[in-house]
Amino acid sequence: MTATGARFITLEGVDGSGKSTQAQRMKEALEAEGRSVVLTREPGGSVGAEEIRRLVLEGDPERWSAETEILLFTAARRDHLERTIEPALAAGQIVICDRFVDSTRVYQGLTRGDLRGVIDDLHRMMIGREADLTLLFDMDPKLGLARAKARQTVEERFEDMGLEMQIRMRAGFLELAAQAPERFAVIDAGRAVEAVASDVLAAVKAAL
Ligand code: TYD
């Protein structure tokens, strides 16, 4: 159930595209207008899903097949949906989610064969919700990867798959945006933080 005023906004893009910084700014801007906002992320956003996050983001790139990853990400998403997203939307809040199913469509759906159909079927069966608005942070993956690697965290399984993969994923995200223009806003994320933030806010205002 979605209450009046509730909106589900997702942020997508290749690694290092600056989503997390922009998500935080967006939250502050909306709160300054008196709106109630929940900022969350995937994989994670609930206790159980954060546990699954460690399994999928740490360790060897070959650790899981794409099929196993789809199941793990979907399991994490289901828990996140039940415990965090749905209750917030039912309470009329704005939910800003750093990554959602479009990441699965691209990261698991395109990188190791074409698994898009499986992901869409599973999503329909187990999740059944799409965002009201998806902001795609589009930028040169070479720049993104350099930024992402500079963070030096243990969560680098996908970054370790290399630049070729990031280039394919960027194209995949742009294709998704072209397939669902009513839901997507493509943001040029290769600019200064302020410029990106002002485009983000304009897109969000238009959707509220
Ligand atoms: P995250 O901390 O969100 O990285 P960033 O700040 O760069 O966005 O890391 C999430 C990683 O998990 C990222 O490499 C993308 C990947 N991922 C998937 O492969 N499938 C998914 O369904 C999700 C949600 C994330």
Side-chain angles (χ1 to χ4, degrees):
M1 200 192 80
T2 302
T4 323
R7 287 287 185 288
F8 184 37
I9 302 173
T10 60
L11 278 52
E12 298 283 0
V14 293
D15 293 284
S17 54
K19 293 178 284 83
S20 310
T21 308
Q22 294 293 339
Q24 186 59 41
R25 290 183 66 121
M26 196 201 304
K27 177 179 195 282
E28 287 160 14
L30 290 170
E31 283 175 343
E33 292 183 355
R35 295 180 190 268
S36 175
V37 181
V38 172
L39 174 55
T40 185
R41 68 165 181 184
E42 289 205 350
S46 65
V47 176
E50 290 288 337
E51 286 189 32
I52 298 174
R53 178 179 177 98
R54 289 199 16 243
L55 294 175
V56 280
L57 297 192
E58 298 180 18
D60 192 85
E62 305 297 322
R63 183 175 184 186
W64 308 110
S65 69
E67 287 82 353
T68 309
E69 277 171 18
I70 291 170
L71 294 168
L72 288 168
F73 279 111
T74 306
R77 183 162 302 130
R78 175 75 204 192
D79 193 61
H80 185 210
L81 185 78
E82 287 175 10
R83 293 170 196 269
T84 307
I85 299 173
E86 296 285 8
L89 293 176
Q93 294 181 291
I94 295 177
V95 177
I96 301 172
C97 190
D98 190 345
R99 296 194 184 279
F100 194 61
V101 62
D102 294 317
S103 282
T104 315
R105 289 181 173 127
V106 169
Y107 281 75
Q108 281 67 48
L110 297 177
T111 52
R112 286 148 290 175
D114 181 6
L115 290 170
R116 174 71 195 279
V118 174
I119 293 162
D120 285 338
D121 287 348
L122 196 59
H123 186 72
R124 217 172 297 119
M125 278 192 286
M126 298 312 302
I127 310 293
R129 186 180 275 280
E130 296 288 344
D132 299 307
L133 170 68
T134 300
L135 299 169
L136 173 56
F137 289 80
D138 180 57
M139 72 183 297
D140 178 356
K142 203 187 270 175
L143 195 60
L145 197 56
R147 276 200 207 163
K149 292 298 288 182
R151 285 185 221 147
Q152 298 212 330
T153 68
V154 289
E155 296 181 339
E156 297 195 351
R157 271 194 68 232
F158 292 98
E159 292 153 22
D160 288 343
M161 292 180 186
L163 182 60
E164 279 307 304
M165 202 78 108
Q166 298 283 337
I167 291 170
R168 285 214 335 250
M169 295 193 297
R170 179 197 201 180
F173 275 123
L174 287 171
E175 202 180 307
L176 280 183
Q179 285 167 4
E182 69 292 345
R183 167 166 77 87
F184 272 91
V186 181
I187 308 282
D188 175 1
R191 296 170 299 154
V193 175
E194 291 299 332
V196 177
S198 102
D199 280 11
V200 165
L201 217 52
V204 171
K205 290 270 168 64
L208 285 180

